[in-house]
Amino acid sequence: QVQLVESGGGLVQAGGSLRLSCVASTHSFSMLNMAWFRQAPGKEREFVAVFRGSGNGIDYADSVKGRFTFSRDNAKNTVYLQMNSLKPDDTAVYYCAAGGSGAAYTQYAHWGQGTQVTVSS
């Protein structure tokens, strides 16, 4: 079982930045595919980005490409989502996920509790 704990959400004005963090409790973190999803009220959970383990690449949703950067620190069992040029449409609960490899949330077996990001106009 992998436990995931997110932090870093908050309230920011449009155009601002936030950095989300997610710490994973696992002995094989470097091999683990990690992802971020988000869910706005009344909407389905939406793929944001995936960082595949063993250097197999990063994919972003088109809606965040060029604004969000996904990074990881294997020594700290932590992934980060740097979010720049935030828009009101980015407002959602952001979830860290592990174990899948693509954009479908059903592929992921492990989830954090979520962290709220609110972008005011």
Side-chain angles (χ1 to χ4, degrees):
Q1 184 73 11
V2 178
Q3 292 188 329
L4 305 172
V5 179
E6 303 102 331
S7 61
L11 173 64
V12 64
Q13 287 189 332
S17 299
L18 282 174
R19 189 177 81 156
L20 306 182
S21 301
C22 173
V23 180
S25 62
T26 175
H27 293 297
S28 55
F29 179 76
S30 64
M31 302 294 292
L32 199 59
N33 296 336
M34 300 292 296
W36 288 98
F37 286 79
R38 65 187 182 185
Q39 189 165 17
K43 294 188 177 181
E44 286 203 352
R45 196 161 293 193
E46 175 189 25
F47 169 76
V48 175
V50 59
F51 196 136
R52 296 180 180 84
S54 301
N56 288 327
I58 307 171
D59 290 326
Y60 296 94
D62 287 344
S63 59
V64 307
K65 218 173 271 186
R67 299 188 298 122
F68 291 11
T69 302
F70 197 166
S71 61
R72 67 193 292 162
D73 184 338
N74 289 335
K76 296 183 178 179
N77 278 23
T78 302
V79 294
Y80 305 96
L81 186 69
Q82 178 66 44
M83 307 186 294
N84 298 330
S85 302
L86 282 162
K87 306 174 183 179
D89 283 350
D90 295 318
T91 295
V93 176
Y94 283 70
Y95 296 92
C96 180
S101 63
Y105 70 84
T106 52
Q107 296 181 10
Y108 293 81
H110 310 287
W111 292 88
Q113 81 285 357
T115 185
Q116 176 71 46
V117 171
T118 303
V119 184
S120 63
S121 57

